[in-house]
């Protein structure tokens, strides 16, 4: 990719986006639209339909009808595979356009967006397309006069609610396995990052996905998201976002049809540095990128740095040096390493966390403030706070911004204790040359993923899912398929 191609794309006007219902572009039932603010400069970029409950009900009805008549679930696996493979090809063919569009409304630096967004979404769709004709039912080991068959059936209608940090990647984590197994899907993108996901949904239709199998409705979570959550016609909710919304979704399920609810709710992931790490310079650089890339708006971000006391000061200095060397700015420049914070609300929340950290006795080693304000965009300097106590707000609450809290520890036992001292459990990292210690830490720290002598970057072959209040159910890998099927037993007397 060269900068010229990116500059050419960003100069094009961004069209207004409508819902995608039953294979057609549809305006909101009352005609309302929402402004899309670009975090790059704070200006209105375009509009999307501001969905009503009626719009969402129409999308759900379309998905239900598509599921019931078998226009997708009833196709031979090879036919479904072909459509999904074509979709992945189209995502790849339009990768730059999708990435630039996505960066314009979510602010991720383009170098990361190109890899993590269309690239990863295409790979995910392709992974589940390739898997779908390799998923077999089972024959149970019954007595000889019985045949016990276990069928794997699609669940029906899946509601997929997606956040703003990586809309294509996270969208594909839900859409790939759900569609591969024959379900219909109603997609609800985030208010502040819907454009690239809406475009990716259009490409599914171009690839030959029958109308109604994938519907997408934009609008406010408390309106269209709530209608989706409370629907009697939705069988599964697949969500990535905040704990507060996750709780609501569980309530909606309880108040309606007890639909299955799968939640990925972020975390407060500890990155643990022992003095015997194989390469402390590398550990410092990776610790910085593990929290500061995409301005910290990464569910697995290593937002808590736990450092062995003997190396604390030198290591923090090395991380600060790496952080200060990272280029913050226009996310559509290829050499930018930290893009924009997604919204002014999120930026203000991040700054609020810094003030609280100071009030609670933390020392700001670097950053701590908004920068590049003259651009009108939402930028924040990578921020490191030391002296963060186990009960401090910065230990206990997810910031979801470029803010790293540092705590020191004396022993391995203390490191495990600190690492497990929050309600979360999504990810973690440990840096050590001691193989036994590495394995003990992997077992001892309660998370869905532990990185050893690296941080982040796991591919689609392994599951990602949290424990505790980081959620339930895994995205990625063949395990994700389990969320989108029902097991049905046929008990046959011979
Ligand atoms: O999340 P919300 P927000 C965390 C992070 C961040 C905080 C707030 O800490 O600071 O959440 O971000 C839809 N019924 N994460 O406000 O509200 C909403 O429209 C149904 C962590 O953006 O949870 C959007 O599509 N849906 C995280 C989606 O939920 C509702 C990624 C997520 O928005 C709804 C993002 C409702 N009542 C934020 N209310 C991660 N795990 O990586 C909102 N939504």
């Amino acid at each position: 990719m060269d900068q010229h191609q990116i500059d050419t794309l960003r100069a094009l006007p961004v069209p207004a986006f409508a819902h995608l219902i039953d294979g057609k572009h549809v305006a909101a039932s009352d005609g309302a639209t929402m402004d899309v603010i670009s975090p790059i400069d704070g200006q209105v970029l375009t509009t999307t339909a501001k969905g009503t409950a009626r719009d969402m009900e129409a999308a759900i009805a379309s998905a239900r009808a598509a599921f019931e008549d078998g226009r997708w679930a009833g196709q031979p696996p090879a036919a479904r595979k072909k459509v999904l493979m074509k979709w992945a090809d189209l995502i790849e063919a339009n990768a730059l356009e999708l990435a630039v569009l996505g960066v314009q409304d979510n602010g991720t630096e383009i170098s990361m967006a190109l890899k993590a967004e269309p690239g990863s979404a295409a790979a995910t769709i392709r992974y589940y397309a390739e898997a779908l004709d390799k998923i077999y039912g089972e024959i149970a080991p019954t007595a000889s006069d019985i045949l016990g068959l276990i069928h794997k059936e699609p669940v029906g209608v899946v509601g997929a609610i997606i956040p703003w940090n990586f809309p294509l990647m996270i969208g594909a984590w839900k859409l790939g396995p759900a569609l591969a197994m024959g379900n219909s899907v109603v997609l609800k993108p985030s208010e502040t990052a819907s454009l690239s996901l809406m475009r990716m949904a259009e490409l599914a239709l171009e690839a030959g996905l029958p109308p109604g199998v994938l519907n997408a409705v934009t609008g406010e979570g408390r309106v269209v998201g709530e209608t989706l959550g409370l629907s009697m016609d939705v069988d599964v909710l697949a969500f990535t976002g905040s704990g507060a919304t996750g709780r609501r979704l569980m309530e909606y399920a309880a108040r309606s049809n007890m639909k299955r609810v799968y939640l990925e709710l972020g975390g407060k992931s500890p990155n643990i540095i022992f003095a015997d790490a194989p390469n402390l310079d590398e550990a410092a650089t990776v610790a910085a990128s593990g929290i500061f890339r995409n301005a910290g708006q990464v569910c697995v971000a290593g937002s808590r740095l736990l450092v062995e006391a003997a190396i604390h000061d030198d290591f923090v200095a090395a991380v600060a040096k790496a952080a200060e060397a990272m280029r913050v700015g226009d996310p559509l420049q290829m050499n930018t390493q930290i893009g924009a914070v997604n919204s002014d609300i999120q930026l203000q929340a991040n700054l609020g966390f810094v003030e609280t950290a100071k009030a609670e006795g933390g020392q700001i080693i670097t950053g701590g403030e908004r920068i590049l304000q003259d651009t009108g965009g939402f930028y924040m300097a990578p921020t490191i706070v030391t002296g963060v106590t186990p009960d401090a707000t910065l230990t206990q609450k997810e910031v979801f911004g470029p803010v790293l809290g540092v705590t020191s520890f004396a022993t391995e036992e203390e490191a495990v204790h600190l690492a497990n001292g929050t309600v979360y459990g999504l990810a973690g990292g440990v840096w050590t040359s001691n193989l036994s210690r590495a394995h003990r830490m992997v077992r001892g720290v309660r998370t869905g993923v532990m990185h050893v002598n690296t941080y982040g970057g796991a591919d689609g072959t392994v599951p990602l899912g949290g424990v505790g209040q980081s959620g339930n159910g895994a995205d990625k890998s063949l395990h994700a398929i389990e969320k989108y099927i029902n097991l049905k037993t046929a008990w046959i007397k011979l």
Side-chain angles (χ1 to χ4, degrees):
M1 301 308 157
D2 70 25
Q3 188 62 46
H4 178 69
Q5 288 172 291
I6 295 167
D7 293 343
T8 306
L9 281 167
R10 85 185 296 180
L12 299 173
V14 179
F17 277 72
H19 306 312
L20 205 58
I21 300 177
D22 222 24
K24 294 184 272 300
H25 292 107
V26 185
S29 60
D30 60 4
T33 59
M34 296 193 297
D35 286 343
V36 176
I37 309 290
S38 175
I40 299 175
D41 56 9
Q43 299 297 308
V44 177
L45 184 64
T46 183
T47 62
T48 59
K50 186 175 182 184
T52 61
R54 247 176 83 191
D55 299 334
M56 182 49 88
E57 279 156 11
I60 296 167
S62 164
R64 175 53 63 188
F67 182 70
E68 296 301 334
D69 71 16
R71 75 187 76 161
W72 178 242
Q75 287 191 27
R80 281 191 271 130
K81 179 182 194 165
K82 199 167 165 194
V83 170
L84 294 180
M85 291 298 254
K86 174 94 188 287
W87 187 22
D89 290 346
L90 286 176
I91 293 169
E92 244 165 31
N94 291 276
L96 191 58
E97 180 214 317
L98 284 166
V100 170
L101 191 59
V103 170
Q104 283 176 296
D105 76 346
N106 95 332
T108 302
E109 55 277 3
I110 187 79
S111 55
M112 177 172 245
L114 276 166
K115 258 201 308 194
E117 283 283 273
S120 148
T124 299
I125 303 295
R126 202 168 276 136
Y127 178 90
Y128 291 105
E130 285 168 347
L132 72 85
D133 55 1
K134 297 165 193 72
I135 309 282
Y136 290 80
E138 295 165 17
I139 301 177
T142 57
S144 60
D145 62 337
I146 293 291
L147 178 60
L149 300 179
I150 303 166
H151 296 275
K152 294 183 176 171
E153 299 187 328
V155 181
V157 176
V158 173
I161 304 178
I162 309 300
W164 40 262
N165 52 336
F166 293 104
L168 300 186
M169 179 175 79
I170 296 173
W173 288 350
K174 324 283 188 202
L175 292 170
L179 292 171
M181 299 321 291
N183 299 281
S184 295
V185 179
V186 178
L187 185 62
K188 153 69 183 88
S190 161
E191 292 85 329
T192 58
S194 56
L195 305 183
S196 56
L197 196 50
M198 294 303 283
R199 180 74 190 115
M200 188 168 95
E202 286 175 358
L203 292 176
L205 291 176
E206 276 180 40
L209 195 71
V213 176
L214 173 57
N215 301 284
V217 176
T218 49
E220 293 176 347
R222 289 306 286 267
V223 179
V224 289
E226 181 167 303
T227 306
L228 187 62
L230 284 170
S231 172
M232 297 297 286
D233 248 339
V234 171
D235 303 289
V236 170
L237 287 176
F239 173 73
T240 299
S242 66
T245 300
R247 264 177 218 284
R248 282 199 192 98
L249 298 183
M250 292 180 115
E251 281 175 30
Y252 297 157
R255 281 163 53 198
S256 55
N257 61 347
M258 299 194 272
K259 56 182 70 66
R260 275 148 55 177
V261 180
Y262 297 111
L263 305 172
E264 202 271 76
L265 305 173
K268 199 71 220 187
S269 299
N271 190 9
I272 305 162
I273 319 294
F274 285 95
D276 66 0
N279 182 337
L280 282 168
D281 288 336
E282 186 194 350
T285 311
V286 175
S289 61
I291 173 66
F292 297 130
R293 291 303 302 270
N294 199 16
Q297 302 162 125
V298 178
C299 55
V300 297
S303 55
R304 284 192 294 149
L305 190 64
L306 306 184
V307 189
E308 192 166 350
I311 56 164
H312 177 276
D313 292 356
D314 287 348
F315 191 77
V316 169
V319 180
K321 195 171 158 214
E324 285 160 6
M326 292 175 84
R327 282 179 299 274
V328 187
D330 180 353
L332 284 171
Q333 293 297 322
M334 276 299 274
N335 64 359
T336 291
Q337 291 167 296
I338 302 177
V341 173
N342 176 250
S343 65
D344 193 33
I345 292 177
Q346 193 67 30
L347 175 63
Q348 298 312 325
N350 295 346
L351 296 170
F353 274 106
V354 173
E355 289 314 308
T356 305
K358 282 193 222 163
E360 292 179 353
Q363 293 93 51
I364 310 293
I365 298 298
T366 186
E369 74 275 305
R370 179 177 188 173
I371 53 173
L372 305 172
Q373 198 156 353
D374 55 327
T375 63
F378 314 132
Y379 300 94
M380 183 167 171
T383 300
I384 299 177
V385 186
T386 55
V388 178
T389 58
D391 56 353
T393 305
L394 210 49
T395 299
Q396 296 299 331
K397 298 263 185 261
E398 182 178 49
V399 176
F400 219 59
V403 182
L404 178 65
V406 188
T407 307
S408 77
F409 66 85
T411 64
E412 189 180 311
E413 291 69 29
E414 192 189 359
V416 172
H417 183 71
L418 289 169
N420 288 335
T422 74
V423 298
Y424 295 108
L426 186 61
V430 57
W431 297 74
T432 177
S433 302
N434 179 328
L435 185 64
S436 300
R437 167 180 277 164
H439 285 291
R440 282 195 301 271
M441 295 300 287
V442 167
R443 288 189 184 174
V445 181
R446 286 192 303 271
T447 59
V449 54
M450 277 299 279
H451 306 90
V452 178
N453 294 333
T454 184
Y455 199 93
D459 71 13
T461 61
V462 287
L464 172 68
V467 299
Q469 291 186 33
S470 286
N472 66 310
D475 285 319
K476 305 197 299 171
S477 83
L478 295 180
H479 291 286
I481 287 174
E482 293 153 22
K483 299 191 293 187
Y484 305 105
I485 54 171
N486 286 330
L487 298 180
K488 180 191 272 176
T489 296
W491 186 259
I492 302 167
K493 180 96 174 72
L494 301 178

